[in-house]
Amino acid sequence: MAESKNTLKHIEGSDHEAQKVASEEIECGSNGQLNTADESHEDAVGYSQYREGLRLTISPSEERRVRWKIDLIVLPIFFWTQCLQFMDKTALNYANLFDYQKALKLQGTDFNYLSAMVYAGYFFGQYPCGWLIGRYPAQKVLGISCLLWGLMVVLLTQCRTFSSALAVRFFMGMFEAAVTPGLTLMTGFWYRRKEIPLRQCIWYSSLGIGGIVGSYISTGVATLPTNSTPERWQIIFYVLGGATMLWAVILYFLLADTPANAMFLTKRERIIAVWRSSENETGIKNKVFKRKQALLGLWDPKTLLLFTSVFAAAIPNGVVNSFSTVIIRDMGFSTSKTTQLKSVGDAVQVVALIIGGTITLKVPNSRLLTATAANIVCTVSAALMAYLPRSNTWGRLVCFWLVNCQSVGFTISLVTISSNMGGYTHRSIASAMVFTAYCWGNFAGPFVVKQSEAPTYPSATAGLLAGYSIKFGCHLALLAYMFFTNRYRNRKYGPANKAASNEAGMQDLTEFENKNFRYVL
């Protein structure tokens, strides 16, 4: 087999040391041309910049400048988009404190269905949204989605019947479906494999920040008179929906689809950014839907394990997101005190995600072990909530705060998709599968909270314990699968050829086709 030695190797060194050019082996066809695997590179986003990057000498300091530029522009946009999406989705949690159920004359399990319906919309919306993000500029898809779901939040102020609110919540979920799956895929466009977990944890920690902001908005609303116009629960929807619609404009015009067309980067910086992403060995984005990869995404063992773990964890997540204020209030606290105490749990979530992301950045192959540690905290906390006596109010409250560590495991699940799955269609289908589990788990979650069981809610605490236990087992199984697959590949194929693996990723090959691919644990 012929060999090409025109690729440079990035060598980290001291600041005064220039980057050196070295040779890397890249697989070629029998005619001496680069093997394209019968692939049209026109559909592989960033491939031309990647090839240009192979001929450049890139210093470590230059690469760091590009990374900082991405951190300062892209990461905050991801953060606040996810934050607003979460606040809008869980706004019912706060409206519930201000006679929302009474205003709509809700009875029985009506509020449970209203809380859950957004996830039904999410399920039906994620497939068209995922296709649109792959086919068209992601920032435009996200910007339009953001505008429409913000409008749905505002329309909730006009809903005075259960059926009208249910319909609006459904469409709101459809439009929100572009956000978390889209940002998960896009994180892999912008960052190296080792950088992805911390960045994903940072923007996903916006859920905790959103919870804190929502709590203090509710605290402010609670100071208004009960007969205010508009009603207090309406004010919450006006504030959140209006902020989301304004943010949609920023999202549409400032965010870039991929590093290959980022207007805030110079031409050379775009090449460097794409070259950095090629190191992930998974490629960036491909505009063609590939049936073979789609089928692989459905049956990939990693996808099935993630599907199971996310579904199991999403049930308690639905409880925490929709009923945390109710559960805390029924421990014996006032409305204003409840919103303040809920914000402590949100702060725990932020701290856990930042600690977890930092560990995965600093300690090699620590991702699933970090998730496992967080899973243990959640499982033990859920067990204590179930079995501590009712009189131990603060002990049960602290345990309820600690279950917010579950976000670490969920974020690691998303990182597995973005950094351990090659082939854009494969990743997209795996993401859709995982978020299908997320939707239906969250849909089921509110129904384990039974008002007749107040104030102890034994079914809800049992649901938390069961969900976190299953998630714990799935993550251990995923760790074992990837560890032994790496060992098998090393024995059969020898040490991985990093340059050839980068090339295979940019040609949109999956990790099953790319024999030089090794999983990051």
Side-chain angles (χ1 to χ4, degrees):
M1 179 174 289
E3 295 180 350
S4 172
K5 295 187 177 180
N6 63 346
T7 307
L8 64 79
K9 186 177 188 180
H10 183 80
I11 300 178
E12 298 287 349
S14 60
D15 292 337
H16 67 274
E17 183 180 5
Q19 181 177 341
K20 299 176 181 179
V21 178
S23 62
E24 293 178 339
E25 296 180 354
I26 299 179
E27 295 183 6
C28 297
S30 58
N31 61 358
Q33 299 298 315
L34 186 66
N35 180 9
T36 63
D38 299 322
E39 192 80 39
S40 172
H41 293 143
E42 293 180 2
D43 296 315
V45 174
Y47 188 80
S48 60
Q49 286 96 334
Y50 159 72
R51 296 299 297 171
E52 287 185 67
L54 299 179
R55 295 188 291 270
L56 295 180
T57 299
I58 304 168
S59 68
S61 60
E62 190 175 19
E63 185 196 344
R64 281 195 298 271
R65 282 197 301 272
V66 172
R67 188 194 67 208
W68 269 110
K69 211 167 184 179
I70 295 169
D71 280 341
L72 292 174
I73 296 175
V74 174
L75 199 56
I77 294 176
F78 282 16
F79 182 94
W80 289 112
T81 304
Q82 180 71 15
C83 182
L84 286 167
Q85 183 256 172
F86 177 76
M87 292 173 68
D88 293 341
K89 182 171 59 182
T90 59
L92 287 184
N93 200 11
Y94 305 109
N96 199 27
L97 296 173
F98 303 111
D99 298 323
Y100 181 69
Q101 295 194 49
K102 181 179 178 182
L104 269 68
K105 300 180 177 62
L106 302 182
Q107 298 177 350
T109 58
D110 285 353
F111 186 79
N112 301 63
Y113 277 106
L114 206 55
S115 299
M117 186 52 64
V118 70
Y119 295 103
Y122 205 112
F123 168 73
F124 287 103
Q126 65 172 321
Y127 294 97
C129 285
W131 181 83
L132 288 169
I133 287 174
R135 186 68 182 85
Y136 299 102
Q139 78 276 15
K140 299 188 185 302
V141 176
L142 289 172
I144 294 170
S145 297
C146 186
L147 178 68
L148 292 174
W149 98 62
L151 178 61
M152 293 300 106
V153 177
V154 173
L155 286 179
L156 279 173
T157 62
Q158 306 305 308
C159 296
R160 291 289 177 166
T161 64
F162 170 64
S163 57
S164 62
L166 200 66
V168 171
R169 288 278 291 177
F170 177 83
F171 285 108
M172 177 180 154
M174 284 191 66
F175 298 132
E176 284 189 356
V179 180
T180 309
L183 297 185
T184 297
L185 293 172
M186 291 178 74
T187 303
F189 300 170
W190 292 96
Y191 291 103
R192 288 176 177 270
R193 264 174 128 182
K194 68 178 182 180
E195 299 165 352
I196 289 174
L198 178 59
R199 270 66 181 187
Q200 184 117 6
C201 284
I202 288 173
W203 66 253
Y204 199 74
S205 71
S206 63
L207 273 65
I209 299 297
I212 293 171
V213 173
S215 294
Y216 284 97
I217 289 175
S218 298
T219 301
V221 170
T223 63
L224 298 175
T226 55
N227 60 349
S228 63
T229 302
E231 294 182 55
R232 293 188 294 175
W233 61 267
Q234 288 181 308
I235 293 174
I236 291 174
F237 293 142
Y238 277 127
V239 170
L240 295 179
T244 299
M245 294 176 73
L246 289 174
W247 181 254
V249 179
I250 297 174
L251 187 61
Y252 189 93
F253 289 106
L254 291 189
L255 183 61
D257 181 28
T258 68
N261 52 28
M263 297 302 294
F264 61 85
L265 298 176
T266 65
K267 180 180 178 181
R268 180 179 175 86
E269 288 173 338
R270 287 196 290 270
I271 293 171
I272 295 171
V274 169
W275 174 78
R276 278 170 36 84
S277 299
S278 73
E279 296 284 300
N280 296 343
E281 307 171 45
T282 58
I284 296 180
K285 177 177 172 179
N286 197 288
K287 296 179 181 179
V288 174
F289 181 87
K290 300 180 180 179
R291 184 174 177 272
K292 182 179 178 182
Q293 286 192 15
L295 293 174
L296 175 63
L298 294 173
W299 297 109
D300 184 347
K302 301 187 298 296
T303 304
L304 297 177
L305 285 169
L306 290 173
F307 179 93
T308 305
S309 69
V310 169
F311 178 80
I315 293 176
N317 188 63
V319 174
V320 174
N321 284 347
S322 299
F323 288 93
S324 55
T325 55
V326 174
I327 292 172
I328 293 173
R329 184 181 62 190
D330 286 346
M331 289 181 184
F333 298 102
S334 65
T335 298
S336 59
K337 192 69 173 177
T338 293
T339 57
Q340 294 171 15
L341 292 174
K342 180 190 175 298
S343 67
V344 177
D346 297 319
V348 169
Q349 183 181 44
V350 174
V351 172
L353 282 166
I354 299 303
I355 291 175
T358 303
I359 291 172
T360 59
L361 178 67
K362 300 295 184 181
V363 182
N365 290 317
S366 62
R367 300 179 180 187
L368 286 166
L369 290 176
T370 302
T372 299
N375 292 339
I376 291 172
V377 172
C378 293
T379 305
V380 172
S381 298
L384 289 174
M385 279 188 66
Y387 297 110
L388 281 176
R390 163 71 178 162
S391 58
N392 192 345
T393 301
W394 285 100
R396 295 175 66 242
L397 180 60
V398 169
C399 290
F400 192 60
W401 287 337
L402 289 175
V403 298
N404 285 279
C405 293
Q406 70 88 23
S407 291
V408 175
F410 180 68
T411 306
I412 296 299
S413 297
L414 301 184
V415 167
T416 300
I417 297 171
S418 57
S419 62
N420 274 323
M421 293 185 180
Y424 185 74
T425 302
H426 174 210
R427 283 200 305 278
S428 299
I429 294 299
S431 176
M433 285 277 289
V434 166
F435 280 97
T436 295
Y438 174 80
C439 292
W440 292 116
N442 274 284
F443 187 93
F447 293 96
V448 304
V449 180
K450 301 175 181 178
Q451 293 299 327
S452 60
E453 295 180 344
T456 56
Y457 299 102
S459 296
T461 51
L464 264 65
L465 180 58
Y468 294 140
S469 298
I470 294 171
K471 179 185 177 185
F472 172 73
C474 287
H475 279 170
L476 287 180
L478 183 62
L479 174 62
Y481 170 79
M482 294 197 296
F483 175 78
F484 286 110
T485 299
N486 282 351
R487 288 189 60 181
Y488 169 77
R489 289 193 168 201
N490 286 334
R491 286 199 305 269
K492 185 171 182 179
Y493 305 113
N497 183 327
K498 184 68 169 61
S501 191
N502 294 347
E503 178 69 31
M506 292 302 295
Q507 291 185 3
D508 202 44
L509 299 184
T510 69
E511 70 273 24
F512 297 97
E513 298 167 310
N514 177 8
K515 303 307 180 185
N516 289 296
F517 190 93
R518 299 295 184 269
Y519 294 117
V520 179
L521 308 178

